[in-house]
Amino acid sequence: MNVDTISDFLAEQRDNTIDELQGHVLEFETLWERKLWHELTNKLIEFFNHPGSAPQRLQFYKVFVLKFADRINQLKLVDLALKAATQCLDNNERLAFMQSVATRVDKENSQDAHVFALIAVARVKLDLEDLPGARKDLDKAESILDKFDSVETIVHSSFYHAQADYYQAKQDFGAYYKNALLYLACIDVKNLPYEERRHRAHDLAIAALVSASIYNFGELLLHPILDALKEREEDKWLRDLVFAFNKGDLVQYDLLANQIQAHPLLAAHSNKLREKIYLAALTEAVFRRPPHDRAMSFDTIASETKVKPHEIEHLIMKALSLGLLRGTIDQVDEVAHINWVQPKVLDMTQIENMRSRLKEWDSSVEQLGNWIEKVGQDVWAA
């Protein structure tokens, strides 16, 4: 396509462009003629980012952008292609389009763009419910990413986003939780639309609760994404439930029993949830005690965790095997000797309990100092 043909194309597109964007199209021709590829790319990104450009993006990409595609930043080329792909008629057309983009940028000096495009291909396959195909593309992308010393944040964020969606589709809650948090670490959460923040917070909370591998909710509790569950009354119970699990609050758990049973996924994992809240109650009971007073009888544990006496030993063994506690069990005397408990995020009540323990420790140290001073007067005098 020669310059005149490009000029004709741009003139035609300008006539079909909303008034607000006509200046952009005029500028495209000037930058094209002057071969200012960097400036032209940035102007195109501005144009593609505007909602009013949607009907023209695909045509602009295929007719205009591809004429100088090899002369611009390949990562930005893929970014333009992704925005153009939103205008494909269906996922099958979108898949073929993005596969062609991935092939185009599969060059030695543009592997970051190739990864970016591969991830986009995987996301379309997820939409088509082709999980094995998506897994293959994501594995290929990951193998290339592992070879980079550094890469643009947008590539990492898109990778973790796609990984999270894949594991959510597979109902691998632990892997979803990990990758979703990694995705959020790559972006500014404040820039996410409210509904997206709300859904992400909901999905993370559910994943943390039903996962067989997550017993420490600290990273989620400290993340601002969880605040999205405070804004609507119908969401607050889920946030309260996560906090109840963090501190082993059996009373709060029972108060939320109706909401748990009304949620299909939580109801399906009700037995697992009950075991997790018992484990949380056990670790909280140990945590509240000073280190020198962590020999707990089975009866004491049964009283504080509401677990049936004949299930106490199994509960302690489960906590030890998961690494939530360290210690030994005296089966004869039915006493658990605990010497370590997994650290956790503390709420204000737990912080106040720790403050009281520190005050007790300070008082004990002072008493010991006074006793040493009293009984050792002759030694000090000598």
Side-chain angles (χ1 to χ4, degrees):
M1 187 178 285
N2 58 37
V3 173
D4 290 337
T5 311
I6 285 291
S7 297
D8 292 342
F9 169 77
L10 292 175
E12 179 186 340
Q13 292 300 315
R14 187 169 64 250
D15 292 339
N16 297 324
T17 302
I18 62 174
D19 293 344
E20 188 178 344
L21 292 175
Q22 287 187 3
H24 284 69
V25 181
L26 283 169
E27 198 165 350
F28 292 160
E29 186 169 3
T30 302
L31 296 171
W32 156 264
E33 290 173 350
R34 296 174 61 188
K35 296 180 171 56
L36 297 174
W37 310 123
H38 175 72
E39 291 79 358
L40 178 55
T41 304
N42 289 339
K43 205 66 184 175
L44 277 163
I45 289 174
E46 280 183 32
F47 179 78
F48 276 42
N49 282 338
H50 194 288
S53 71
Q56 296 170 280
R57 290 174 195 161
L58 201 56
Q59 191 72 359
F60 256 103
Y61 181 86
K62 291 180 176 179
V63 176
F64 184 49
V65 174
L66 287 183
K67 293 304 294 180
F68 52 92
D70 293 336
R71 304 185 182 189
I72 66 175
N73 181 298
Q74 298 296 279
L75 204 55
K76 291 184 178 180
L77 175 66
V78 176
D79 189 32
L80 289 169
L82 284 169
K83 292 176 172 65
T86 61
Q87 301 309 301
C88 291
L89 293 176
D90 56 34
N91 282 327
N92 288 312
E93 181 185 341
R94 189 172 296 112
L95 178 61
F97 176 71
M98 288 312 305
Q99 284 175 328
S100 69
V101 174
T103 301
R104 168 179 278 277
V105 297
D106 187 7
K107 303 169 186 173
E108 186 177 352
N109 61 349
S110 59
Q111 285 298 287
D112 55 344
H114 181 52
V115 167
F116 198 23
L118 272 178
I119 295 165
V121 170
R123 292 193 66 82
V124 181
K125 288 182 179 179
L126 285 174
D127 291 337
L128 290 167
E129 299 184 357
D130 178 11
L131 297 187
R135 183 69 266 159
K136 183 178 178 181
D137 290 325
L138 287 171
D139 286 342
K140 184 177 179 182
E142 186 172 24
S143 68
I144 299 172
L145 275 175
D146 288 342
K147 297 174 185 176
F148 288 129
D149 291 328
S150 63
V151 70
E152 292 287 339
T153 304
I154 190 173
V155 179
H156 267 138
S157 66
S158 65
F159 174 71
Y160 291 128
H161 195 178
Q163 284 267 88
D165 288 351
Y166 170 80
Y167 286 119
Q168 187 172 36
K170 294 283 287 183
Q171 291 205 336
D172 186 337
F173 301 109
Y176 165 78
Y177 181 84
K178 173 187 172 183
N179 282 278
L181 286 174
L182 286 169
Y183 162 64
L184 293 175
C186 294
I187 64 170
D188 187 345
V189 175
K190 297 175 186 174
N191 293 333
L192 291 178
Y194 166 68
E195 281 301 324
E196 187 174 344
R197 284 187 286 117
R198 179 180 175 233
H199 287 303
R200 183 67 69 183
H202 172 275
D203 293 345
L204 276 167
I206 296 298
L209 291 168
V210 303
S211 169
S213 60
I214 299 171
Y215 291 85
N216 190 324
F217 304 97
E219 195 169 0
L220 178 58
L221 294 176
L222 292 172
H223 204 288
I225 194 70
L226 201 61
D227 291 339
L229 297 179
K230 292 195 301 185
E231 299 184 31
R232 290 191 185 179
E233 199 63 37
E234 63 265 32
D235 296 332
K236 290 181 179 179
W237 71 271
L238 185 55
R239 184 176 182 274
D240 292 341
L241 184 61
V242 175
F243 275 90
F245 268 81
N246 183 62
K247 60 182 180 180
D249 190 338
L250 292 163
V251 174
Q252 181 73 352
Y253 177 83
D254 289 336
L255 288 174
L256 295 171
N258 290 337
Q259 287 93 329
I260 293 171
Q261 290 305 312
H263 192 288
L265 199 51
L266 293 181
H269 291 79
S270 58
N271 291 336
K272 183 66 180 177
L273 289 175
R274 177 62 67 175
E275 181 184 70
K276 286 182 82 167
I277 194 67
Y278 285 154
L279 287 166
L282 172 60
T283 57
E284 179 64 18
V286 175
F287 182 79
R288 285 198 303 265
R289 285 169 165 72
H292 63 271
D293 185 27
R294 287 181 175 171
M296 301 174 65
S297 69
F298 285 15
D299 288 340
T300 300
I301 294 173
S303 172
E304 299 205 21
T305 63
K306 312 304 180 188
V307 175
K308 296 175 182 177
H310 68 275
E311 296 177 350
I312 293 298
E313 186 174 348
H314 174 75
L315 181 71
I316 300 169
M317 291 176 66
K318 182 77 173 178
L320 292 172
S321 67
L322 290 168
L324 304 177
L325 302 174
R326 292 177 193 161
T328 58
I329 301 174
D330 186 334
Q331 294 174 311
V332 176
D333 293 333
E334 296 190 332
V335 173
H337 299 274
I338 309 300
N339 52 46
W340 180 87
V341 59
Q342 186 183 73
K344 62 171 70 177
V345 172
L346 307 180
D347 62 17
M348 293 308 296
T349 302
Q350 291 168 309
I351 291 173
E352 181 59 34
N353 289 337
M354 180 170 279
R355 177 174 173 272
S356 298
R357 283 168 44 194
L358 286 171
K359 288 175 68 176
E360 291 175 7
W361 175 80
D362 181 62
S363 176
S364 298
V365 171
E366 185 178 359
Q367 290 176 12
L368 179 61
N370 292 336
W371 177 81
I372 292 174
E373 183 178 355
K374 180 178 179 181
V375 302
Q377 284 180 350
D378 293 340
V379 178
W380 311 140

